[in-house]
Amino acid sequence: MDAFLLGASQVLSLSTLAMMLLGAIAGIIAAAIPGFTVTMAIVLTLPLTFTMDPLQGIAVMLSVYVGGYTGGLISAALLGIPGTPSSVATTFDAFPMSRNGEPGRALSLGVWASFFGTIISTAVLIVAAPPLAIFAVRLGPWEYFSLIVFALTIVASLVGHSLQRGLIAALIGLVIATIGTDPMMGRPRFDMGFELLAAGLPFLVVLIGIFAISQLASEVEDVNAIKTGERLVTSDIEFRTWSVMREVLMRPVNLIRSSLIGVGIGALPGAGGSIANLVAYDQARRSSKTPEKFGTGTPDGVVASEAGNSATAGGGLIPLIALGIPGSAVDAILMASLMVHGISVGPRLILDNADLVYGMFLAMAVSSLMMLAVCLVSMRLFLRVAEVPKWAVVPIVLVCCVVGSFALNNRVTDLYLLAAVGLLGYALKALDYPLAPLVLGVILGPIAETNLRRALMTDNDWTLFLTRPISLLLLVAAVLSVGWAIWTVLKSRKHATKLKDSS
Amino acid sequence: MPTSRFEVLGAGAFPMLVHGALILLLTGSIIGSLRKIPADAYGRFAADVVAWGKAKRLVFVVFAGLGLYVAVMPVIGYTSSTFLFLITLLVTLAPKTRTALVVALVLALVFSFGLNWLFAEVFNVFLPRGN
């Protein structure tokens, strides 16, 4: 209880609340601009939080996160272009709804659904994280190594279209992580005689390069679209805030189901909002009495997609807080920001820094309230934001990335690295390799190696990985996730040939 | 790499494991894709590369600009290099109208001089000044 009050007093201080408000606004704006993802917004917030207290910094980043999941809705509903990958399913129903003359209703529905989704996921997080952490403290290095193998295989099989490419991306991430000094004895590895590489690749620079630079580069691929600059429909928009809130609450089953799907998917490593919104939408359509209305502007579709993607925010924090394993790129950045402040993330986080963890729970709830307030008060202003043309966004954000990565270490050499990694990221993206497994590989690599070597230092017996029950269970789960991915590919291939035969 | 006598696996074992797995997967992937390429694709290869390069020309402009930008930043300093980078890239990407060009100029000024001031005064981070 003391820890909770301590955390609450830090989150609820005036300066933190003001910064969080700015963060929520920044998140909404960032996600409303097509081509600017939530991940990018958080990456760019990170250097600004270095001077803050750990909890204040995390709270600000969480508010950007929560705001960002909502902001994607704006361009999804009005333009039919998802502002972030997490709002793809929102376009299915919110866009037809606003085309039918109800853009205000579509936006309010999405905002309320996001709000309730975040609140439900925070509740699940508070209930689920502490017991899981208490259990995780008893895990030995064997279990940890197996857990990371499991995390990487499930990421590889869930993200992208091909398991092979996902695994290759994850392994490239692990290879990047082996550059620099080794985590146990400090021996130099793969530095090729360059001073630049001797300390290893700074994780955050890799992250900015991989996610932000490659995304920006692929935004300018379409020469014609960028030159014209797309605009929003600006007709009169009417928000009926309270009646819409009632409308959302009248769908408790859909709301809770979609939120729980979001939490579950968010808690799986690697799968985040970009998958959750589609799954929640699909489930809502299947269990609906009027499935034929989906896709024509039914409120159920908007609620399912937005509640689903917002709920992943809380779900993703469960493995991060309980196990020290980030579930998504955004969680990896949150973890990195804690490490910058010298807080080690792992199952002991909740025991050693309880005030921080409770503060994070509270910050989630507070930022969803802020998001709601900001959206309801100033939705009209944000509509303008979505009109910012791409030709202005791309160069400006590139400069922000450069400044951000310089500010991390005050090293010009990091900038060369940034450009090189950005090019690598773009090449992989262009070849249809998923980038999330790569980034998780970079952050999980040292953890996996440390635990593998620690396990064998404790007892020189490889079979312990298979005879310790939890470790065995995790390895079996890893094999199953790969097998399941192969099975679905084979099934869809069979399906495709069948279609070809019948046509 | 020498192994330590305190542990079974030295610093080299884990990288070898990872690289080994990567080599296996990549070999599999190369063989898989080679089998999928139709025979006449090799003849079209050069033309396809040129067409692809043309379609993605702005991407090359962006990366060339970025490379040049970070290369000259330590020499001429953050403000001048950023201003040049932004004005070049914005003018290349923007539609050629008078308003767009004015907006580009203002954005370039704000994000080079303005950002430098913000970081120095507010965050106490000094961006490269140049020689």
Side-chain angles (χ1 to χ4, degrees), chain A residues 272-286:
Chain A
S274 42
I275 297 177
N277 71 97
L278 290 167
V279 176
Y281 183 87
D282 189 47
Q283 287 302 322
R285 184 173 56 192
R286 277 184 199 191

PDB file of all heavy atoms in Angstrom, chain A residues 272-286:
ATOM      1  N   GLY A 272       1.024  -7.373 -31.585  1.00  0.00           N
ATOM      2  CA  GLY A 272       0.518  -6.190 -30.911  1.00  0.00           C
ATOM      3  C   GLY A 272      -0.776  -5.736 -31.527  1.00  0.00           C
ATOM      4  O   GLY A 272      -1.532  -6.526 -32.075  1.00  0.00           O
ATOM      5  N   GLY A 273      -1.011  -4.433 -31.455  1.00  0.00           N
ATOM      6  CA  GLY A 273      -2.254  -3.851 -31.933  1.00  0.00           C
ATOM      7  C   GLY A 273      -2.536  -4.145 -33.392  1.00  0.00           C
ATOM      8  O   GLY A 273      -3.686  -4.242 -33.801  1.00  0.00           O
ATOM      9  N   SER A 274      -1.480  -4.308 -34.178  1.00  0.00           N
ATOM     10  CA  SER A 274      -1.709  -4.478 -35.613  1.00  0.00           C
ATOM     11  C   SER A 274      -2.401  -5.799 -35.914  1.00  0.00           C
ATOM     12  O   SER A 274      -3.048  -5.936 -36.946  1.00  0.00           O
ATOM     13  CB  SER A 274      -0.395  -4.380 -36.373  1.00  0.00           C
ATOM     14  OG  SER A 274       0.614  -5.071 -35.711  1.00  0.00           O
ATOM     15  N   ILE A 275      -2.275  -6.790 -35.017  1.00  0.00           N
ATOM     16  CA  ILE A 275      -2.989  -8.044 -35.214  1.00  0.00           C
ATOM     17  C   ILE A 275      -4.300  -8.023 -34.447  1.00  0.00           C
ATOM     18  O   ILE A 275      -5.331  -8.462 -34.938  1.00  0.00           O
ATOM     19  CB  ILE A 275      -2.125  -9.237 -34.754  1.00  0.00           C
ATOM     20  CG1 ILE A 275      -0.874  -9.312 -35.617  1.00  0.00           C
ATOM     21  CG2 ILE A 275      -2.892 -10.529 -34.842  1.00  0.00           C
ATOM     22  CD1 ILE A 275       0.072 -10.382 -35.210  1.00  0.00           C
ATOM     23  N   ALA A 276      -4.261  -7.442 -33.239  1.00  0.00           N
ATOM     24  CA  ALA A 276      -5.423  -7.506 -32.347  1.00  0.00           C
ATOM     25  C   ALA A 276      -6.660  -6.890 -32.985  1.00  0.00           C
ATOM     26  O   ALA A 276      -7.758  -7.428 -32.856  1.00  0.00           O
ATOM     27  CB  ALA A 276      -5.104  -6.799 -31.033  1.00  0.00           C
ATOM     28  N   ASN A 277      -6.515  -5.768 -33.699  1.00  0.00           N
ATOM     29  CA  ASN A 277      -7.711  -5.120 -34.233  1.00  0.00           C
ATOM     30  C   ASN A 277      -8.386  -6.011 -35.261  1.00  0.00           C
ATOM     31  O   ASN A 277      -9.604  -6.095 -35.317  1.00  0.00           O
ATOM     32  CB  ASN A 277      -7.379  -3.723 -34.774  1.00  0.00           C
ATOM     33  CG  ASN A 277      -6.572  -3.741 -36.046  1.00  0.00           C
ATOM     34  OD1 ASN A 277      -7.101  -3.627 -37.137  1.00  0.00           O
ATOM     35  ND2 ASN A 277      -5.266  -3.901 -35.923  1.00  0.00           N
ATOM     36  N   LEU A 278      -7.598  -6.730 -36.051  1.00  0.00           N
ATOM     37  CA  LEU A 278      -8.189  -7.603 -37.071  1.00  0.00           C
ATOM     38  C   LEU A 278      -8.874  -8.808 -36.434  1.00  0.00           C
ATOM     39  O   LEU A 278      -9.975  -9.183 -36.831  1.00  0.00           O
ATOM     40  CB  LEU A 278      -7.106  -8.059 -38.052  1.00  0.00           C
ATOM     41  CG  LEU A 278      -6.594  -6.945 -38.955  1.00  0.00           C
ATOM     42  CD1 LEU A 278      -5.319  -7.363 -39.669  1.00  0.00           C
ATOM     43  CD2 LEU A 278      -7.645  -6.547 -39.958  1.00  0.00           C
ATOM     44  N   VAL A 279      -8.216  -9.410 -35.435  1.00  0.00           N
ATOM     45  CA  VAL A 279      -8.802 -10.581 -34.783  1.00  0.00           C
ATOM     46  C   VAL A 279     -10.091 -10.200 -34.062  1.00  0.00           C
ATOM     47  O   VAL A 279     -11.117 -10.886 -34.181  1.00  0.00           O
ATOM     48  CB  VAL A 279      -7.795 -11.215 -33.794  1.00  0.00           C
ATOM     49  CG1 VAL A 279      -8.442 -12.364 -33.052  1.00  0.00           C
ATOM     50  CG2 VAL A 279      -6.568 -11.688 -34.530  1.00  0.00           C
ATOM     51  N   ALA A 280     -10.058  -9.061 -33.340  1.00  0.00           N
ATOM     52  CA  ALA A 280     -11.247  -8.641 -32.593  1.00  0.00           C
ATOM     53  C   ALA A 280     -12.393  -8.357 -33.556  1.00  0.00           C
ATOM     54  O   ALA A 280     -13.542  -8.731 -33.307  1.00  0.00           O
ATOM     55  CB  ALA A 280     -10.924  -7.396 -31.758  1.00  0.00           C
ATOM     56  N   TYR A 281     -12.085  -7.737 -34.677  1.00  0.00           N
ATOM     57  CA  TYR A 281     -13.104  -7.425 -35.673  1.00  0.00           C
ATOM     58  C   TYR A 281     -13.712  -8.707 -36.228  1.00  0.00           C
ATOM     59  O   TYR A 281     -14.929  -8.848 -36.348  1.00  0.00           O
ATOM     60  CB  TYR A 281     -12.463  -6.609 -36.798  1.00  0.00           C
ATOM     61  CG  TYR A 281     -13.421  -6.161 -37.867  1.00  0.00           C
ATOM     62  CD1 TYR A 281     -14.121  -4.976 -37.728  1.00  0.00           C
ATOM     63  CD2 TYR A 281     -13.605  -6.914 -39.018  1.00  0.00           C
ATOM     64  CE1 TYR A 281     -14.999  -4.553 -38.702  1.00  0.00           C
ATOM     65  CE2 TYR A 281     -14.486  -6.500 -40.006  1.00  0.00           C
ATOM     66  CZ  TYR A 281     -15.185  -5.321 -39.842  1.00  0.00           C
ATOM     67  OH  TYR A 281     -16.046  -4.908 -40.806  1.00  0.00           O
ATOM     68  N   ASP A 282     -12.838  -9.645 -36.523  1.00  0.00           N
ATOM     69  CA  ASP A 282     -13.279 -10.916 -37.080  1.00  0.00           C
ATOM     70  C   ASP A 282     -14.193 -11.652 -36.104  1.00  0.00           C
ATOM     71  O   ASP A 282     -15.254 -12.156 -36.488  1.00  0.00           O
ATOM     72  CB  ASP A 282     -12.041 -11.760 -37.413  1.00  0.00           C
ATOM     73  CG  ASP A 282     -12.409 -12.991 -38.198  1.00  0.00           C
ATOM     74  OD1 ASP A 282     -13.175 -12.842 -39.163  1.00  0.00           O
ATOM     75  OD2 ASP A 282     -11.952 -14.084 -37.836  1.00  0.00           O
ATOM     76  N   GLN A 283     -13.780 -11.685 -34.828  1.00  0.00           N
ATOM     77  CA  GLN A 283     -14.584 -12.382 -33.821  1.00  0.00           C
ATOM     78  C   GLN A 283     -15.937 -11.694 -33.648  1.00  0.00           C
ATOM     79  O   GLN A 283     -16.963 -12.358 -33.490  1.00  0.00           O
ATOM     80  CB  GLN A 283     -13.849 -12.421 -32.475  1.00  0.00           C
ATOM     81  CG  GLN A 283     -12.690 -13.381 -32.441  1.00  0.00           C
ATOM     82  CD  GLN A 283     -13.110 -14.803 -32.755  1.00  0.00           C
ATOM     83  OE1 GLN A 283     -14.172 -15.248 -32.350  1.00  0.00           O
ATOM     84  NE2 GLN A 283     -12.296 -15.521 -33.506  1.00  0.00           N
ATOM     85  N   ALA A 284     -15.935 -10.351 -33.680  1.00  0.00           N
ATOM     86  CA  ALA A 284     -17.195  -9.624 -33.511  1.00  0.00           C
ATOM     87  C   ALA A 284     -18.141  -9.956 -34.662  1.00  0.00           C
ATOM     88  O   ALA A 284     -19.343 -10.118 -34.466  1.00  0.00           O
ATOM     89  CB  ALA A 284     -16.925  -8.121 -33.452  1.00  0.00           C
ATOM     90  N   ARG A 285     -17.577 -10.087 -35.863  1.00  0.00           N
ATOM     91  CA  ARG A 285     -18.444 -10.378 -37.009  1.00  0.00           C
ATOM     92  C   ARG A 285     -19.005 -11.789 -36.904  1.00  0.00           C
ATOM     93  O   ARG A 285     -20.174 -12.031 -37.185  1.00  0.00           O
ATOM     94  CB  ARG A 285     -17.644 -10.225 -38.305  1.00  0.00           C
ATOM     95  CG  ARG A 285     -18.526 -10.418 -39.528  1.00  0.00           C
ATOM     96  CD  ARG A 285     -17.804 -10.112 -40.798  1.00  0.00           C
ATOM     97  NE  ARG A 285     -16.604 -10.915 -40.882  1.00  0.00           N
ATOM     98  CZ  ARG A 285     -15.644 -10.705 -41.778  1.00  0.00           C
ATOM     99  NH1 ARG A 285     -15.756  -9.702 -42.615  1.00  0.00           N
ATOM    100  NH2 ARG A 285     -14.580 -11.468 -41.821  1.00  0.00           N
ATOM    101  N   ARG A 286     -18.154 -12.714 -36.461  1.00  0.00           N
ATOM    102  CA  ARG A 286     -18.620 -14.104 -36.380  1.00  0.00           C
ATOM    103  C   ARG A 286     -19.736 -14.283 -35.390  1.00  0.00           C
ATOM    104  O   ARG A 286     -20.640 -15.080 -35.608  1.00  0.00           O
ATOM    105  CB  ARG A 286     -17.458 -15.010 -35.969  1.00  0.00           C
ATOM    106  CG  ARG A 286     -16.632 -15.365 -37.156  1.00  0.00           C
ATOM    107  CD  ARG A 286     -15.570 -16.324 -36.778  1.00  0.00           C
ATOM    108  NE  ARG A 286     -14.537 -16.287 -37.797  1.00  0.00           N
ATOM    109  CZ  ARG A 286     -13.569 -17.158 -37.870  1.00  0.00           C
ATOM    110  NH1 ARG A 286     -13.506 -18.108 -36.979  1.00  0.00           N
ATOM    111  NH2 ARG A 286     -12.677 -17.077 -38.809  1.00  0.00           N
TER     112      ARG A 286
END
